[in-house]
Structure formats: structure tokens, C-alpha cells
Amino acid sequence: EVQLQASGGGLVHPGGSLRLSCAASGFTFDEYAIGWYRQAPGKERDAVSCIAGRDRTTYYRDPVKGRFTISSDKVKNMVYLQMDNLKPEDTAVYYCAIDSLMFCSSRPDYWGQGTQVTVSS
């Protein structure tokens, strides 16, 4: 059974940092692309950053380039999203998800539960 457990969200001031973690199990890391997605109130859920399980190729959506860093640890089956210089527009529920065919798929195979990130002064 695939399980994706996201954690690390919270309330942070603008300019602050958070590190999200996704504990993954039930699948072979190398065979999937793993991504972080977010959904703000009233908006669609979109990919923020993704990493290929096999070669760790990464992708970042333009609004987070230079501020967010995605990484993975195959030994621990963990995926991280380091978020620096956070802005109020980063406020959203963040999800980790995996897909076996597409990098940063808009409809990944499996979703984890979300973790709330709120950036506010």
C-alpha cells in the first residue's frame, strides 16, 4: 500500500523558512517521480516542485525558483521541500504526490494528505 505522509507545515512570517517532509512507503522510489503540490483557497492544486526518483532531476515552478529546494533521500524514503524567503502568496495546503509515468503530473497516481503552510505577519 502506497503511503505518503507530509509534515512540517506551520505559520511563518514573510521572509521566513520552513522545511516540509514527505515520508514515503509502499513503492519503489526509482520508479516514480515525486512532487510537491499546493492548493490555495479558491484555486486549483498545482505542482510546485518535482524530483525524479531515479536520477533526481528537478523542476520548479517559476514563482518558487530560487527560493524552494526539493531533495530526496532514497535510504530513508523521504522527500523534502526547503522553502526560504516565504511570501504571503505561498500560503496554501501543500501535498506530496507520486506518479509512475509523468514528471510533475497534473493527475498523479497517489496523493498524500496535506500540510498547511501559512505565511503572514
Side-chain angles (χ1 to χ4, degrees):
E1 178 187 5
V2 172
Q3 291 191 345
L4 301 165
Q5 183 77 28
S7 61
L11 173 63
V12 63
H13 293 308
S17 297
L18 283 174
R19 188 194 196 204
L20 303 184
S21 299
C22 178
S25 63
F27 64 96
T28 303
F29 227 68
D30 283 354
E31 296 179 358
Y32 285 82
I34 305 126
W36 285 99
Y37 296 70
R38 69 185 182 187
Q39 186 168 22
K43 295 188 177 180
E44 294 185 353
R45 190 179 301 184
D46 289 322
V48 173
S49 179
C50 301
I51 186 166
R54 184 178 300 276
D55 63 7
R56 300 186 184 182
T57 301
T58 59
Y59 162 83
Y60 298 94
R61 191 171 288 272
D62 283 346
V64 307
K65 282 182 180 177
R67 300 188 297 119
F68 290 11
T69 304
I70 191 170
S71 61
S72 65
D73 185 329
K74 290 184 181 182
V75 175
K76 296 181 179 180
N77 278 4
M78 297 289 295
V79 180
Y80 306 100
L81 186 67
Q82 177 67 40
M83 305 187 295
D84 298 316
N85 191 21
L86 282 160
K87 303 177 180 181
E89 52 263 41
D90 295 318
T91 295
V93 179
Y94 284 71
Y95 303 85
C96 57
I98 62 171
D99 194 87
S100 61
L101 296 178
M102 290 186 63
F103 195 62
C104 262
S105 170
S106 61
R107 301 182 68 179
D109 296 330
Y110 298 96
W111 290 99
Q113 96 296 347
T115 185
Q116 176 71 45
V117 172
T118 303
V119 185
S120 175
S121 56

